Amino acid sequence: MDLSLSTETVGDRTVVRVGGEIDVYTAPKLREQLVELVNDGSYHLVVDMEGVDFLDSTGLGVLVGGLKRVRAHEGSLRLVCNQERILKIFRITGLTKVFPIHTSVDEAVSATD
Amino acid sequence: MASELGPLRPAPEPPSTTAPPPRQGTLPEPRSGTGTAPLSVLLVEDDPADALLIETLLADSGLGARPRWASTLADALLALRTRPPQCVLLDLHLPDARGRRVLAEVLAHAAGAAVVVMTGLAGERDGLAAVAAGAQDYLIKDRVDPDLLRRTVSYAVQRKQTEAAAAALQAERLRAEENARLARGLLPVPLLGDVPRVRVTARYRPGRSTALLGGDFYDVVEDDHGVVHAVIGDVSGHGPDAAALGVCLRIAWRTLVLSGVRGPALIRYLERITLAERAGPEMYATVCVLALHPGDPVLRVLRAGHPGLLIRSPTGVRLADPARGPALGLLAGADWTQDEVELPPGGSAVLFTDGLCEGRLGGAGAARLGEDGLVALANRLTGLPGPAFTDGLMADAEAVTTAGDGFADDVAVVLLEPVPHDPGASG
């Protein structure tokens, strides 16, 4: 299956819109995108997961890796997700305690810690 | 064709239609394997007269080859990159490089192509040296006739193909051995007493892509007090790193259990091991561990980011969702609490990894089986003995995936059925 990615800058945040399936085959593409953004100096990321149909353990690992990368620059990685199926994965693995999860891109972009 | 490359020129027409006429004394050979595509040959030769000679010989050889011609090493390398031939006929004396360097460069870029070196009359020794250095064969230009050329080129191509097939086979064999070794480490023989207190049915299925061994693991150990401990786990990602961490965590769990470490302390140790042994910061692991005390229907369960477990009774199956903490390797300072799940009389507990319910359902959209779907499938198998239930559940979960193309991820399932240890006592 395929993964689609697009990015957009909103203020000091970079929104990464992800669509499709994040699995062992497509996760490297997402990793590359996140690494590239951090290398280019974007440390405040919002990953919009509304278009994600499936997320497996490799995909979760890539998000965790992304979080560690931005944190090294005192940045942030926020998620936008309303899908129960995906939220459940974050809850089971305990990642709801790691990622701020928002209901909309607007909310994530204006959120402060 | 030939005109795609700079110094190349169109190959001559087949000799039967135009001059030059077939050489005296050579019988027209049947085309190599009637109906098969002609051999693709790259001729690397700076002398136009020699090139014409070889082209004519090739035309007469019956190989059906229309060579492309490169007159410098640079052009030859470009041709190898853009349209790899099956055979390279190589003169070692070129305007931009000579001798061993030419051969080394061409061999390095030839990929699957057979390389046949062409030398002059005095070049027999160069030819032998070229073969020693990796060329398939050599020809002495002034002694070549169409028949010798045909045999040399065909055999060289055939030898090269055999070599490539043997190398691929060897790589495949090594990978299979490596997978088998890791699989043995991930999937052990349960360590139970002489009179087992539980019947264990364990199953493992690799994902669709067998080259990617996953990190699913399980283990079952009975301690000196007759308590049966079980673990199932899943390392994120696939491949040797995930499998190696899985093996590591299983052995660590077994050692900790045998050393008497229990409860949240055991999970904290596994967390430390995960952090210390993982190959990269993206890796994490989920585990579910349980303990079954003799004569006690209550399972002690600890979960770290892992799915729940199925509880079977003689009349049905439900999903138990006991308290859970985060997966191993994700959160600094995380903690876990033990929970209890009651096993009904005559019941059994089924641990599984999430690959079992991640199968993509048929039809449009990306719907997955999910835990509810899994419970529904399991309930259709009520009443079957443990092994038949386990096999049936895996088969059914796989069958509902799109076109039955199998599990994408690894799947491990462990079913634990207490057996009354002393049938005369409480039953």
Side-chain angles (χ1 to χ4, degrees):
Chain A
M1 281 301 116
D2 260 1
L3 177 80
S4 66
L5 291 170
S6 66
T7 61
E8 181 193 352
T9 307
V10 182
D12 68 336
R13 311 279 160 98
T14 304
V15 180
V16 183
R17 283 204 169 74
V18 190
E21 309 201 334
I22 315 179
D23 60 17
V24 62
Y25 303 104
T26 61
K29 214 168 129 185
L30 178 60
R31 182 189 297 120
E32 264 169 46
Q33 174 76 80
L34 296 179
V35 168
E36 195 177 304
L37 286 171
V38 172
N39 288 345
D40 292 347
S42 304
Y43 305 139
H44 292 280
L45 306 179
V46 172
V47 178
D48 180 357
M49 313 269 295
E50 284 300 89
V52 172
D53 301 317
F54 179 68
L55 176 68
D56 81 351
S57 64
T58 311
L60 274 181
V62 166
L63 291 174
V64 172
L67 180 67
K68 287 179 178 165
R69 284 189 185 94
V70 294
R71 277 195 179 161
H73 300 276
E74 282 159 26
S76 62
L77 197 162
R78 298 168 183 280
L79 301 176
V80 176
C81 181
N82 294 295
Q83 300 186 69
E84 185 50 36
R85 261 181 317 151
I86 307 280
L87 288 171
K88 189 174 176 188
I89 298 168
F90 284 101
R91 274 200 298 272
I92 289 181
T93 49
L95 282 168
T96 42
K97 294 186 183 124
V98 184
F99 291 105
I101 299 180
H102 301 274
T103 54
S104 70
V105 171
D106 286 347
E107 185 189 303
V109 164
S110 54
T112 50
D113 289 318
Chain B
M1 290 294 283
S3 56
E4 283 170 22
L5 289 159
L8 303 186
R9 65 198 160 130
E13 290 300 309
S16 54
T17 54
T18 54
R23 303 173 112 222
Q24 294 270 314
T26 56
L27 290 169
E29 298 258 356
R31 297 235 152 178
S32 59
T34 322
T36 61
L39 272 177
S40 57
V41 173
L42 175 67
L43 175 59
V44 186
E45 170 65 75
D46 66 324
D47 182 332
D50 283 356
L52 182 63
L53 169 72
I54 298 293
E55 275 186 12
T56 312
L57 288 170
L58 268 176
D60 291 352
S61 72
L63 283 170
R66 290 161 67 95
R68 286 176 294 145
W69 177 31
S71 60
T72 63
L73 177 62
D75 288 331
L77 297 183
L78 178 70
L80 285 171
R81 242 196 334 271
T82 49
R83 216 143 51 90
Q86 288 165 286
C87 183
V88 183
L89 292 172
L90 181 64
D91 185 298
L92 293 177
H93 299 275
L94 299 174
D96 51 347
R98 302 174 74 81
R100 264 181 296 187
R101 207 197 119 207
V102 172
L103 180 64
E105 292 270 349
V106 167
L107 284 174
H109 293 84
V115 176
V116 175
V117 165
M118 302 179 297
T119 69
L121 265 178
E124 183 108 32
R125 201 146 32 120
D126 291 348
L128 287 168
V131 169
Q136 267 60 50
D137 210 339
Y138 72 97
L139 288 166
I140 294 171
K141 277 185 216 168
D142 302 298
R143 295 205 189 133
V144 185
D145 61 38
D147 189 47
L148 179 62
L149 184 64
R150 179 183 56 77
R151 276 187 289 132
T152 304
V153 169
S154 321
Y155 292 160
V157 167
Q158 207 168 50
R159 266 200 303 280
K160 187 71 191 176
Q161 282 166 351
T162 312
E163 244 173 53
L169 202 66
Q170 172 74 352
E172 183 64 33
R173 197 175 59 77
L174 287 175
R175 194 165 57 210
E177 279 175 6
E178 177 73 4
N179 280 358
R181 234 187 334 267
L182 285 165
R184 267 199 304 281
L186 289 164
L187 318 167
V189 177
L191 201 60
L192 298 173
D194 294 336
V195 185
R197 290 167 191 276
V198 294
R199 250 192 308 269
V200 179
T201 305
R203 297 286 185 268
Y204 171 78
R205 285 287 298 280
R208 206 182 303 139
S209 172
T210 51
L212 289 175
L213 192 66
D216 288 9
F217 63 95
Y218 61 73
D219 203 355
V220 182
V221 168
E222 182 179 327
D223 70 19
D224 295 341
H225 308 290
V227 181
V228 174
H229 304 264
V231 65
I232 194 155
D234 186 353
V235 177
S236 67
H238 294 77
D241 286 342
L245 183 57
V247 174
C248 179
L249 286 172
R250 184 188 69 74
I251 300 290
W253 176 85
R254 186 173 260 210
T255 309
L256 289 163
V257 166
L258 291 174
S259 311
V261 180
R262 302 286 181 265
L266 188 150
I267 304 292
R268 284 195 295 270
Y269 278 120
L270 291 180
E271 159 102 341
R272 286 179 65 180
I273 300 277
T274 304
L275 293 172
E277 301 290 336
R278 64 183 171 185
E282 281 181 10
M283 286 182 85
Y284 66 91
T286 69
V287 293
C288 179
V289 306
L290 64 79
L292 183 59
H293 292 248
D296 186 346
V298 174
L299 300 169
R300 272 81 162 176
V301 183
L302 276 145
R303 284 165 79 194
H306 201 83
L309 60 158
L310 298 177
I311 300 296
R312 291 184 82 203
S313 77
T315 53
V317 181
R318 72 180 182 92
L319 181 76
D321 191 20
R324 58 171 182 251
L328 307 176
L330 284 184
L331 274 178
D335 214 344
W336 296 267
T337 49
Q338 185 167 285
D339 203 351
E340 296 182 344
V341 176
E342 185 152 351
L343 209 53
S348 53
V350 186
L351 298 169
F352 59 92
T353 56
D354 57 8
L356 186 61
C357 45
E358 279 184 352
R360 190 202 310 272
L361 300 178
R368 306 278 170 159
L369 180 59
E371 287 174 345
D372 295 342
L374 183 67
V375 171
L377 287 181
N379 268 302
R380 300 209 301 237
L381 303 167
T382 303
L384 287 178
F389 171 84
T390 311
D391 291 334
L393 188 61
M394 289 191 81
D396 289 354
E398 188 167 15
V400 297
T401 62
T402 311
D405 60 351
F407 294 122
D409 198 1
D410 292 36
V411 176
V413 179
V414 179
L415 181 142
L416 300 151
E417 277 173 290
V419 287
H421 194 51
D422 180 2
S426 60

